[in-house]
Amino acid sequence: MANYYQPEIECASREEIVRIQNEKLVKQVRHVYDNVPYYRHLMEEKGVTPDDIRSIDDIHKLPFLTKADLREAYPYGLLGTDLKNCVRIQSTSGTTGKRVVAFYTQKDIDLWEDCCARAIVAAGGTNEDVCQVCYGYGLFTGGPGLNGGSHKVGCLTLPMSSGNTDRQIQFMMDLGSTILCCTPSYAAFIAETLAEKGYKPEDNKLKAGIFGAEPWTEEMRRDIEAKLGIKAYDIYGLTETTGPGVSFECEEQTGMHINEDHFYAEIIDPETGEVLPEGSKGELVFTSLDKEGFPLLRYRTRDICVLSRKKCSCGRTHVKMSKPMGRSDDMLIIRGVNVFPSQIETVLLNEGYSPNYQIVVDRVNNTDTLDVYVELTPDQFSDIISENQKKEKALEGAIRTMLGIGAKVHLTDPKTIARSEGKAVRVIDKRKLV
């Protein structure tokens, strides 16, 4: 039996959802035009006025926003209200150039926490649960978002933040945590540490995990589920639109329901900007329909995915997005072939290796090189060189089959690849491509 945090919205008819979106978009475009000179200038350049936007059907007339725009407008250029109305900022976890700073009014925070509460309830959360939040707090949106959502559901909330894994496990076991919120790579690390301490999956009280902030595969999901004895749910968000809770998985685990009453999603061709029909693979674009402090219209996420309106068994009617299949800007082009790190992770997990790996790309004598370092578990480790070489060759064959190009595989000793308590650094690109 599915549970909902706000059933009247989560299970609304398509007609009702479109009505809400039309009403909010018209109002939001006028609000942005009147209050955000930066975006008004973009609209004027394109010859668009708020009067041209009468429904969602007109959204394609609006200009896109990109991360470059956010950096150019830093810090206050995209602020949508008087600063006195804002109560908080959040910021990206760190990229090259200027950081992205997002502003929130109290209403923005309330709506964001509602979105996270929907995700927690979809994972089976109630006011009887103990929710352990191991996403980073502070400027990063993960901790504050799930923390607020957990409060709204009424869970006992453990605001652990990331790191100090021994303390995480102590509180998890002593306080009987039932829901774990963190990055998938940190969940895998917690599972690994629990096993090293002699715990079996049935020794903890966890029933669900809400994992996001980095790409992960179905193979990694099943691995975490088996090692922690839980059901693992995906959650998606980005600082630019609000944070985690833009979309979330239900028990069907076949994509993440987008909170369509707050965010309108489009899929575009990343090269041309053309809006693609439902079911097409392309770049995800979001419009925040009711954000006051930082109201972005048609923001290009650079995440590649597919949208689907196929009826869901959970009863929710909001459109689903697939797990991001890579990024239009982070995608690696190696010897002319498009490579996503998730493809390599899929091969490693299918072949029985650990999710602790690192991809190193370089360019030697004008030719791209691709090296994949894979950490062995203690059970797999062997000091017989010929045995390891045989395993490396087999993995190289499997990766070539997946990618269509060759890679050099290096099997490394246990614990030699740095663990991550935040976002895992999976790719090191040493090429000078800019």
Side-chain angles (χ1 to χ4, degrees):
M1 182 71 180
N3 294 309
Y4 315 103
Y5 177 67
Q6 293 168 317
E8 71 286 352
I9 292 292
E10 294 175 65
C11 302
S13 67
R14 172 61 20 202
E15 294 72 23
E16 176 62 10
I17 292 170
V18 171
R19 185 195 68 76
I20 291 170
Q21 291 179 332
N22 287 341
E23 185 179 299
K24 287 187 174 183
L25 179 67
V26 170
K27 185 178 177 183
Q28 185 74 309
V29 170
R30 172 60 68 182
H31 169 71
V32 170
Y33 188 85
D34 289 345
N35 293 282
V36 184
Y38 187 97
Y39 197 78
R40 181 168 65 245
H41 176 67
L42 293 180
M43 288 179 66
E44 288 169 349
E45 279 188 334
K46 207 172 179 192
V48 186
T49 71
D51 293 335
D52 296 319
I53 310 300
R54 299 180 181 181
S55 74
I56 285 294
D57 292 337
D58 296 320
I59 198 169
H60 68 277
K61 299 174 183 177
L62 293 169
F64 293 113
L65 276 171
T66 66
K67 188 159 279 191
D69 288 310
L70 271 58
R71 292 197 183 113
E72 188 178 328
Y74 173 93
Y76 292 121
L78 288 166
L79 186 64
T81 186
D82 288 344
L83 198 59
K84 67 182 181 183
N85 298 326
C86 296
V87 297
R88 191 198 298 173
I89 67 153
Q90 302 286 165
S91 179
T92 50
S93 53
T95 55
T96 56
K98 294 173 181 172
R99 296 174 67 92
V100 172
V101 174
F103 299 86
Y104 297 73
T105 64
Q106 188 57 52
K107 181 186 173 188
D108 291 336
I109 290 172
D110 287 340
L111 295 180
W112 175 24
E113 291 177 350
D114 282 344
C115 290
C116 289
R118 291 179 191 178
I120 291 168
V121 173
T126 72
N127 59 6
E128 296 182 356
D129 280 292
V130 179
C131 185
Q132 183 162 340
V133 183
C134 315
Y135 288 109
Y137 280 67
L139 290 172
F140 180 59
T141 55
L146 271 301
N147 189 90
S150 177
H151 282 195
K152 288 216 168 180
V153 175
C155 304
L156 175 64
T157 308
L158 309 187
M160 303 296 294
S161 196
S162 58
N164 200 333
T165 306
D166 285 344
R167 185 176 64 189
Q168 300 276 9
I169 289 172
Q170 180 193 340
F171 275 68
M172 179 186 296
M173 303 307 289
D174 291 351
L175 293 169
S177 300
T178 56
I179 299 174
L180 179 65
C181 305
C182 60
T183 60
S185 57
Y186 193 42
F189 183 48
I190 288 174
E192 185 180 295
T193 308
L194 280 166
E196 286 174 357
K197 290 178 178 290
Y199 290 111
K200 297 182 176 63
E202 59 269 22
D203 293 334
N204 70 63
K205 292 188 178 179
L206 292 173
K207 65 179 184 182
I210 300 175
F211 307 134
E214 65 185 12
W216 53 310
T217 58
E218 284 301 309
E219 292 78 13
M220 189 171 184
R221 184 211 299 270
R222 302 305 168 207
D223 188 59
I224 292 170
E225 287 183 331
K227 288 178 177 174
L228 287 177
I230 62 170
K231 191 160 182 174
Y233 296 82
D234 208 348
I235 189 170
Y236 175 90
L238 55 168
T239 302
E240 296 91 325
T241 52
T242 190
V246 170
S247 65
F248 60 88
E249 271 188 327
C250 61
E251 65 264 25
E252 196 174 88
Q253 293 179 310
T254 56
M256 292 171 277
H257 290 283
I258 295 170
N259 284 308
E260 287 193 273
D261 53 324
H262 300 305
F263 308 101
Y264 183 75
E266 302 170 85
I267 294 290
I268 65 166
D269 181 317
E271 298 297 325
T272 67
E274 175 194 0
V275 179
L276 301 177
E278 183 190 324
S280 303
K281 181 178 173 181
E283 182 183 337
L284 183 62
V285 172
F286 273 122
T287 292
S288 297
L289 294 171
D290 46 18
K291 193 146 189 248
E292 296 175 332
F294 201 61
L296 300 190
L297 304 179
R298 301 198 84 200
Y299 178 69
R300 295 186 59 162
T301 68
R302 296 294 181 181
D303 283 322
I304 302 296
C305 72
V306 175
L307 298 181
S308 171
R309 295 199 180 278
K310 184 180 174 184
K311 188 175 180 181
C312 185
S313 61
C314 79
R316 289 176 180 81
T317 51
H318 293 207
V319 69
K320 279 182 179 175
M321 59 177 277
S322 67
K323 276 179 175 291
M325 302 166 179
R327 290 178 58 81
S328 61
D329 55 353
D330 288 352
M331 178 179 70
L332 297 164
I333 301 178
I334 302 171
R335 300 198 286 277
V337 176
N338 294 347
V339 174
F340 291 105
S342 57
Q343 294 173 297
I344 294 174
E345 178 174 298
T346 295
V347 171
L348 298 182
L349 289 165
N350 280 342
E351 297 293 322
Y353 291 88
S354 88
N356 293 309
Y357 66 95
Q358 200 156 61
I359 299 164
V360 178
V361 187
D362 207 343
R363 185 160 287 172
V364 179
N365 297 326
N366 296 316
T367 301
D368 291 340
T369 61
L370 175 60
D371 290 82
V372 182
Y373 294 83
V374 185
E375 187 181 280
L376 294 169
T377 64
D379 293 342
Q380 294 169 327
F381 178 72
S382 170
D383 53 9
I384 302 172
I385 293 174
S386 60
E387 199 172 302
N388 286 337
Q389 288 175 335
K390 188 177 175 183
K391 289 178 181 176
E392 287 172 347
K393 290 295 178 192
L395 257 184
E396 286 171 0
I399 289 173
R400 179 180 286 278
T401 300
M402 170 67 84
L403 303 180
I405 59 170
K408 178 67 177 170
V409 171
H410 310 267
L411 296 178
T412 70
D413 295 351
K415 301 288 187 184
T416 52
I417 293 177
R419 295 298 192 273
S420 170
E421 294 177 339
K423 290 192 182 185
V425 180
R426 299 294 195 201
V427 180
I428 297 173
D429 194 339
K430 296 180 177 180
R431 299 173 297 177
K432 302 291 186 280
L433 300 178
V434 179

